[in-house]
Amino acid sequence: MASIRTYNSAIRITIILLLLKDALGMVPAVYVFGDSLADVGNNNHLQLSLLKANYPHNGVDYPGRKATGRFSNGKNFADFLAQNLGVETSPPYLSLPSKSNNTSVYLTGVNFASGGAGILNTTNSGACIWFDQQIDYYSAVYGVIVQQLGTTQAQDHLSKSVFAIVIGSNELLNYAKSNSASKASPQQFVDSLIPTLQGQLKRIYNLGARKFVFIGTGPIGCCPALREQNKTKECNAEGNSASVLYNKAVSSLLNEMRTQYSDMSYSFLDTSIVLNQYIQQPSAYGFTEVKSACCGLGDLKAKVACLPVSTYCSNRSSHIFWDFYHPTEATARMVVATAFDGSAPSVYPVNILQLAS
Ligand SMILES: *[C@@H]1O[C@H](CO)[C@@H](O)[C@H](O)[C@H]1NC(C)=O
Ligand SMILES: *[C@@H]1O[C@H](CO)[C@@H](O)[C@H](O)[C@H]1NC(C)=O
Ligand SMILES: *[C@@H]1O[C@H](CO)[C@@H](O)[C@H](O)[C@H]1NC(C)=O
Ligand SMILES: *[C@@H]1O[C@H](CO)[C@@H](O)[C@H](O)[C@H]1NC(C)=O
Ligand SMILES: *[C@@H]1O[C@H](CO)[C@@H](O)[C@H](O)[C@H]1NC(C)=O
């Protein structure tokens, strides 16, 4: 008897805890797509990829000093998005049991983001899960959710969930690095990406997504890898210009989608505007180093990636950049805080707090 009573009360406590968890979280789930700014360990599972971060000094400030596959000293955009929404970080899709029919694995969110990914299949082809493939994986997840919950309940769940997308930086980086004589103008280059992105966003919408968070690209030309290539160590002008144009084009695309689909809403973060503020007025945001990476080797610590042989700075929160491409945890925390409760021109037409409620 006693053991049955104990068992029942354990179940009751579990249900109460689950309800409490639901009440604390602002949304039922976060589904994440994108690149290394949001990868929480998918690339660890890609046998042949060199685009990995599951070794020191990555993760030096992560709980347990663990190198999880995040391209950061600590947490990244995906973690802070979840944290602000009061939910757990969504697990990497490739860490979940394959072809799982257990819907509960998927109902609390899944992260499909993969370091190196871009809008085009050809960007870092073979070394990452490209965006179309991330959507293929999500499509399989969608199928399982619909099969288990039925169409109506599945749609209800997905329409309340947040679909976060962090994509575009890898194409802009390749563009800025290219020395080709026949190089397109920044506007032509951006225009060549948008039709593909439009198809991808519509596909996600057609698979039940209604609340989109799109994290735009930062001032790509100011990342240590590109600064280092400039004699004056100033930002690469074409990279920054392409990023401004890309953010403009993506926000027009989202606005157009919202006109077409009345039940869709979104938050767009102009990461270029936000990061340029840190770069121009570092002390106002607690930064003392805006040019050099924290972890790496050579000029601006931008000649070599953050490998075990690299050195790293003692105070990570005073640096904007962790390695030659990626922001520190401190930067990611502040950027996502602005996306969460900031206002135009940094985040619009609504912030994530307004989107979620
Ligand atoms: C999942 O369910 C489908 C249909 O019910 C079935 O065909 C498939 O074998 C199941 N997969 C697993 C891994 O149980
Ligand atoms: C389904 O997944 C949940 C969450 O991961 C887990 O707690 C539960 O044990 C799983 N159920 C089965 C039948 O595998
Ligand atoms: C990219 O990959 C997807 C499948 O993941 C495929 O449907 C699409 O045709 C590919 N696009 C190109 C341009 O190869
Ligand atoms: C290098 O920096 C200067 C400013 O000092 C800038 O005018 C120039 O465009 C930069 N070079 C490149 C390749 O962007
Ligand atoms: C590290 O940097 C942050 C931000 O610049 C500063 O607030 C803090 O005092 C620094 N910590 C140490 C130990 O220097």
Side-chain angles (χ1 to χ4, degrees):
M1 277 309 276
S3 74
I4 288 177
R5 207 172 299 128
T6 312
Y7 181 72
N8 279 338
S9 64
I11 289 179
R12 213 172 302 125
I13 289 169
T14 308
I15 291 172
I16 290 168
L17 285 176
L18 281 172
L19 289 174
L20 201 62
K21 193 171 163 290
D22 253 15
L24 288 175
M26 301 178 61
V27 295
V30 183
Y31 297 92
V32 182
F33 301 83
D35 56 30
S36 55
L37 296 170
D39 187 345
V40 292
N42 277 312
N43 280 18
N44 299 352
H45 300 270
L46 302 180
Q47 304 294 321
L48 300 176
S49 179
L50 295 175
L51 301 176
K52 291 186 182 176
N54 53 352
Y55 50 80
H57 306 292
N58 295 298
V60 63
D61 297 311
Y62 195 82
R65 285 180 86 96
K66 205 172 157 210
T68 57
R70 286 166 176 79
F71 296 78
S72 169
N73 58 307
K75 295 178 178 171
N76 70 16
F77 285 11
D79 297 303
F80 290 117
L81 179 62
Q83 194 170 307
N84 278 292
L85 288 168
V87 298
E88 297 288 325
T89 295
S90 307
Y93 177 72
L94 294 183
S95 74
L96 299 173
S98 76
K99 300 203 172 51
S100 176
N101 276 359
N102 183 353
T103 318
S104 48
V105 171
Y106 296 144
L107 285 180
T108 49
V110 182
N111 182 318
F112 304 93
S114 166
I119 292 166
L120 308 176
N121 294 359
T122 45
T123 300
N124 294 315
S125 170
C128 63
I129 314 165
W130 59 86
F131 193 19
D132 276 324
Q133 197 180 352
Q134 293 181 26
I135 304 171
D136 290 347
Y137 285 152
Y138 168 63
S139 177
V141 164
Y142 174 83
V144 173
I145 294 177
V146 167
Q147 189 187 41
Q148 306 262 314
L149 297 186
T151 313
T152 311
Q153 235 189 306
Q155 189 49 48
D156 181 59
H157 167 77
L158 295 171
S159 68
K160 291 175 185 157
S161 299
V162 159
F163 287 75
I165 300 156
V166 190
I167 202 91
S169 297
N170 285 306
E171 272 93 12
L172 298 191
L173 267 173
N174 289 346
Y175 172 75
K177 285 195 276 189
S178 157
N179 293 318
S180 158
S182 59
K183 200 171 171 179
S185 73
Q187 186 68 61
Q188 287 168 329
F189 181 73
V190 165
D191 288 348
S192 73
L193 297 173
I194 297 301
T196 307
L197 181 62
Q198 180 173 35
Q200 289 160 334
L201 296 183
K202 285 192 174 174
R203 219 180 136 208
I204 296 174
Y205 173 89
N206 287 330
L207 293 168
R210 294 298 178 266
K211 293 181 188 225
F212 290 79
V213 168
F214 200 108
I215 307 288
T217 49
I220 293 292
C222 297
C223 71
L226 285 170
R227 261 191 204 269
E228 192 278 320
Q229 291 182 3
N230 195 333
K231 278 190 220 74
T232 63
K233 306 295 177 220
E234 291 306 316
C235 304
N236 176 291
E238 271 183 339
N240 282 5
S241 157
S243 183
V244 167
L245 295 170
Y246 175 76
N247 287 335
K248 211 173 272 176
V250 174
S251 71
S252 307
L253 179 56
L254 289 164
N255 193 41
E256 191 188 308
M257 273 181 79
R258 193 180 45 157
T259 314
Q260 191 180 352
Y261 308 120
S262 60
D263 56 355
M264 175 214 164
S265 54
Y266 69 93
S267 289
F268 177 79
L269 182 79
D270 192 322
T271 316
S272 272
I273 291 182
V274 178
L275 274 183
N276 272 324
Q277 289 168 347
Y278 305 169
I279 292 168
Q280 279 152 23
Q281 291 183 283
S283 61
Y285 300 92
F287 294 112
T288 56
E289 181 54 65
V290 307
K291 294 185 178 176
S292 176
C294 167
C295 183
L297 289 173
D299 279 357
L300 300 184
K301 294 211 183 181
K303 289 280 200 195
V304 173
C306 181
L307 299 172
V309 295
S310 302
T311 59
Y312 64 96
C313 62
S314 60
N315 190 352
R316 274 73 70 183
S317 28
S318 63
H319 281 60
I320 292 185
F321 293 99
W322 164 239
D323 65 11
F324 55 1
Y325 294 131
H326 302 100
T328 53
E329 172 181 280
T331 304
R333 177 188 284 113
M334 276 195 269
V335 168
V336 176
T338 296
F340 190 67
D341 61 9
S343 55
S346 301
V347 56
Y348 56 89
V350 295
N351 60 36
I352 298 175
L353 185 57
Q354 293 162 329
L355 182 80
S357 51

